Amino acid sequence: MRNKIVAGNWKMNKNLPEAEALLTDIRHYLHDKKPGCQVWIAPPAPYLFPAKSVFADGEVGILAQDISIHTSGAYTGEISAAMVSSLGATGTLVGHSERRQYFGETDEACEKKIRQALDQGLTPVYCIGETLEERKANRHFEVVKTQTETALKGLTAEEAQRLVLAYEPVWAIGTGETASPEQAQEIHAHIRKTLATMFDRETASSISILYGGSVKPENAKEIFSQPDIDGGLIGGAALKIEDFSKIIEAYN
Ligand code: PGA
């Protein structure tokens, strides 16, 4: 059985008191609930340590939103995998479409970041997905295949089993538009097939593949019920406990 995961990507939102308030809200919400999925959050880097302090028991997985391709040294402004690990992160997003779009992150850079993460014992959550133009040109299958093959090519099957993937069609992120459950399932199955070809079927069937892009309380259950969808990477709706908790409850 693959892990079911609901992960909140806070992006560049909230100041420290606001972040602490949301951490407390999540803690209170989970206090007497046994969620039917793992709950992960990806707060901005300055709030990783506060997040670890609130969830010292490990009941919530804590992700960085990005890490450097470098291990350490003269790279002003960069944050290494070892640093976020020492702050309590259990994993990191890699290759989110906003990093690709606004910061020129390539599949090759993602490959290096995944290596850095694995070497530090972090779970990489590798994000892939096509743009609107690519979907209109009917290139979405080819685009996610290339993104997957390029960034994961150096991994052993054992290393691949430590990954999580997130399929996020760029046209659905923050737009209110979601892929239909059928569209999402179709491409998740294609990603899993790509993984099976690269590694083996057992490895492919053990890797959780999350869907992201305008997941809301209203659509979460239907999306998560697809056979190759193992949860969600949630942006906007992860910033308020009312919405985030309802999405988690899609697994009850
Ligand atoms: P969204 O963002 O839920 O606000 O569309 C998802 C993401 O970018 O991870």
Side-chain angles (χ1 to χ4, degrees):
M1 258 295 267
R2 286 189 289 275
N3 290 328
K4 303 296 178 197
I5 302 158
V6 169
N9 173 13
W10 296 8
K11 307 193 180 185
M12 197 173 73
N13 290 297
K14 300 193 180 288
N15 60 25
L16 179 61
E18 291 164 350
E20 285 173 333
L22 181 53
L23 291 167
T24 308
D25 285 345
I26 298 172
R27 170 138 207 112
H28 286 160
Y29 166 72
L30 291 173
H31 186 66
D32 350 86
K33 294 244 162 42
K34 179 94 188 69
C37 60
Q38 295 187 14
V39 178
W40 294 4
I41 53 171
Y47 313 144
L48 288 171
F49 188 67
K52 183 63 191 174
S53 313
V54 171
F55 299 112
D57 53 6
E59 70 178 320
V60 169
I62 298 167
L63 307 174
Q65 294 179 7
D66 184 36
I67 52 167
S68 177
I69 60 170
H70 302 291
T71 307
S72 68
Y75 301 103
T76 301
E78 286 287 87
I79 302 177
S80 71
M83 289 174 187
V84 301
S85 169
S86 73
L87 291 171
T90 49
T92 181
L93 302 181
V94 173
H96 188 279
S97 69
E98 287 148 16
R99 304 278 336 150
R100 294 176 187 264
Q101 195 177 345
Y102 305 128
F103 305 97
E105 203 156 298
T106 60
D107 295 340
E108 288 74 18
C110 292
E111 182 192 8
K112 294 192 178 123
K113 291 182 180 194
I114 289 169
R115 170 54 53 206
Q116 289 286 340
L118 290 172
D119 286 352
Q120 290 299 325
L122 296 170
T123 300
V125 179
Y126 178 48
C127 306
I128 57 177
E130 80 285 356
T131 62
L132 186 58
E133 293 68 40
E134 288 163 342
R135 178 158 284 258
K136 280 188 178 155
N138 208 25
R139 291 189 49 227
H140 43 296
F141 289 111
E142 164 202 336
V143 167
V144 297
K145 184 166 186 275
T146 304
Q147 289 171 331
T148 306
E149 287 177 347
T150 309
L152 308 188
K153 68 174 184 292
L155 303 185
T156 64
E158 254 168 34
E159 287 171 334
Q161 286 168 24
R162 291 166 52 200
L163 292 173
V164 170
L165 262 67
Y167 167 67
E168 301 200 298
V170 179
W171 47 272
I173 295 180
T175 59
E177 268 204 54
T178 21
S180 70
E182 296 73 29
Q183 278 176 323
Q185 165 55 28
E186 177 184 50
I187 202 142
H188 278 234
H190 170 74
I191 296 164
R192 206 175 295 291
K193 209 171 112 206
T194 304
L195 294 169
T197 310
M198 290 183 73
F199 303 102
D200 54 73
R201 281 187 53 178
E202 196 194 331
T203 300
S205 66
S206 73
I207 297 175
S208 298
I209 308 178
L210 314 183
Y211 171 81
S214 298
V215 177
K216 307 182 263 283
E218 299 77 42
N219 59 22
K221 207 176 184 103
E222 207 190 349
I223 294 172
F224 297 170
S225 65
Q226 300 296 316
D228 284 293
I229 299 182
D230 306 301
L233 182 56
I234 322 299
L239 295 173
K240 282 199 254 139
I241 192 63
E242 296 78 20
D243 292 339
F244 192 50
S245 59
K246 287 196 191 106
I247 294 172
I248 293 168
E249 279 159 23
Y251 272 117
N252 286 354

